[in-house]
Amino acid sequence: MKTNDKILLLDRLSVCYNRVNYLIALCKEQALTDEANRLGRRKERLKLEIDGLLRDLYANWVGDAKALKVKLETSNQSMDEAIKEIERQIKVAENIVRATGYIDGVIKVAIDLVK
């Protein structure tokens, strides 16, 4: 995998991390404390995985960058849709659960990259 591909993957993981921060702020704004806490735990897990990837960027990186890029983009797009619905206060709890699932998917991709 080319260095540029690795950097693009890390950029997409960072986008997801930033969106999780926004989701947490949105939940707090809407007084959804339990959801904010749940997302906070996922954020910390995602951060650990991103930190691991950064450490391993130039060592033993395996996987297909194009396929992983598509997975990350799909998760980020799905998370954007959930955020928009939460902002419109449509099915808030259901969309928090969906967004959490997308974050879990990104965490799984990050874990697979480290293996």
Side-chain angles (χ1 to χ4, degrees):
M1 183 182 316
K2 297 177 187 173
T3 300
N4 194 37
D5 292 334
K6 294 175 188 178
I7 292 169
L8 287 173
L9 287 173
L10 284 170
D11 284 346
R12 284 171 178 80
L13 287 170
S14 296
V15 167
C16 181
Y17 185 81
N18 290 333
R19 287 181 176 139
V20 173
N21 283 325
Y22 179 73
L23 273 171
I24 291 169
L26 191 59
C27 286
K28 288 179 180 179
E29 180 181 290
Q30 295 183 12
L32 300 169
T33 306
D34 291 340
E35 291 83 353
N37 291 337
R38 188 173 340 130
L39 290 168
R41 289 189 296 273
R42 295 299 198 301
K43 181 184 94 168
E44 290 305 314
R45 177 65 191 273
L46 181 57
K47 183 181 181 316
L48 288 173
E49 298 305 327
I50 290 171
D51 289 348
L53 287 174
L54 288 169
R55 283 190 303 273
D56 296 338
L57 180 62
Y58 295 106
N60 300 323
W61 188 302
V62 294
D64 180 3
K66 290 180 183 178
L68 293 173
K69 182 173 78 170
V70 169
K71 285 182 184 179
L72 292 172
E73 286 174 346
T74 300
S75 288
N76 285 336
Q77 287 172 352
S78 297
M79 195 177 319
D80 282 345
E81 291 171 18
I83 288 171
K84 287 176 186 173
E85 288 184 17
I86 291 167
E87 287 173 336
R88 291 188 305 262
Q89 297 185 346
I90 300 170
K91 299 180 186 176
V92 173
E94 180 180 320
N95 285 305
I96 294 292
V97 171
R98 281 183 37 216
T100 300
Y102 301 137
I103 296 164
D104 288 343
V106 171
I107 290 170
K108 183 182 180 326
V109 169
I111 289 170
D112 290 344
L113 289 173
V114 174
K115 291 182 181 179

